[in-house]
Amino acid sequence: MFHSQFSVKMKKKDLKKLFLPEYKENYTKFFMFILGILLIVTFLCYPVVMIYKNGLLAEKNGNSRWFVSNNEVFFDSLKVYTFIPVTGGKLLIGENWQMSYSDKDSISTTESNLKQVQIGSFLLGETEVTQLFWDCVMIPNYRVKKQLYYNNRPIRSKTYDEWMKFIHRLDSLTGRNFRIPTLNEWDFAARGGIYSKGYKYAGSNEIDEVAYYAGNTLKNFVIHGRYQVKKKKPNELGLYDMSGGASEFTSTRVEESPLYELVYSHPSFKIERENGRLARVSHYFSSQEQCSLRHDAFIAVQAGARLVMEH
């Protein structure tokens, strides 16, 4: 009994000691240490929690290997595509297009008699769709091989139907909605949107700064379109490779342009009405003038594309 009372008294005595002034400094250091540990754990765990959360959302809406965050598309936690916000504004377009023939797959045009149209805000791909992005979407159970040089090359030669299959599959994988931009949206973004400085090419008046074209492809070792995206200067919005490089589809139909009545009279150009789409940008082997933002609109059978993501 005495031993028990003594123990209780000792415990009370020890407890009182803990609150004496000489112990307060130790307590402060202890609590600061615990707080520091909690902050470090929170900092390290937050990205993991967000990835897991986004993974659950993607699994609910699409596929657990895919998720979209902050206008970026991820596959197996690897960023495969980025979207740039384009604030809406006014665009000058041509009412009458002068047509010239280039080859059996495309007819080029030049704008004249300009008029203004209003463009709404949208999210546009920072680059053309790359080989890596295409493979991740279209190849079942794809395993990313990061070291491959061609991962960052643009896709250049797909039909419009093939692009529609790509977009439909991407929609189902991510639970989001994607599309190809209209001709007016593409032109507005290429010219810099509301931040346009009136450059001749997308981002500069000096074509070598922003484009692969006939005058520099050999110097840059670009053979058969084998170049990587984002190696040139971007335009005012941060969009890359919108002059030269690869032609890009738009969703604007042939019958929506003044060329419609002329297309089928051209003896060497055959195209199905339901698949005829206008495309922008000249190839990596085009002349300087053909890479001008106001020069060419193509009615293409095959081309590359950059995507729009719906809000």
Side-chain angles (χ1 to χ4, degrees), residues 18-81:
L18 296 177
F19 295 95
L20 292 175
E22 57 265 28
Y23 286 89
K24 287 184 179 179
E25 184 178 351
N26 292 335
Y27 263 100
T28 302
K29 290 181 179 180
F30 176 75
F31 282 119
M32 291 300 293
F33 174 76
I34 293 298
L35 181 60
I37 293 295
L38 290 175
L39 289 174
I40 292 173
V41 170
T42 302
F43 177 78
L44 293 175
C45 291
Y46 180 76
V48 177
V49 171
M50 291 305 297
I51 289 173
Y52 178 71
K53 178 182 177 182
N54 284 317
L56 290 179
L57 291 174
E59 188 171 10
K60 178 180 178 181
N61 298 314
N63 186 291
S64 60
R65 301 181 69 185
W66 290 86
F67 70 88
V68 179
S69 178
N70 296 325
N71 299 333
E72 296 175 331
V73 181
F74 293 85
F75 174 75
D76 284 350
S77 300
L78 174 69
K79 182 171 67 176
V80 293
Y81 204 64

Side-chain angles (χ1 to χ4, degrees), residues 19 68 76 80 103 142 158 161 226 272 279 286 311:
F19 295 95
V68 179
D76 284 350
V80 293
D103 56 44
Y142 184 70
K158 300 294 181 182
D161 284 346
R226 296 174 183 174
E272 296 180 13
S286 295
H311 292 281

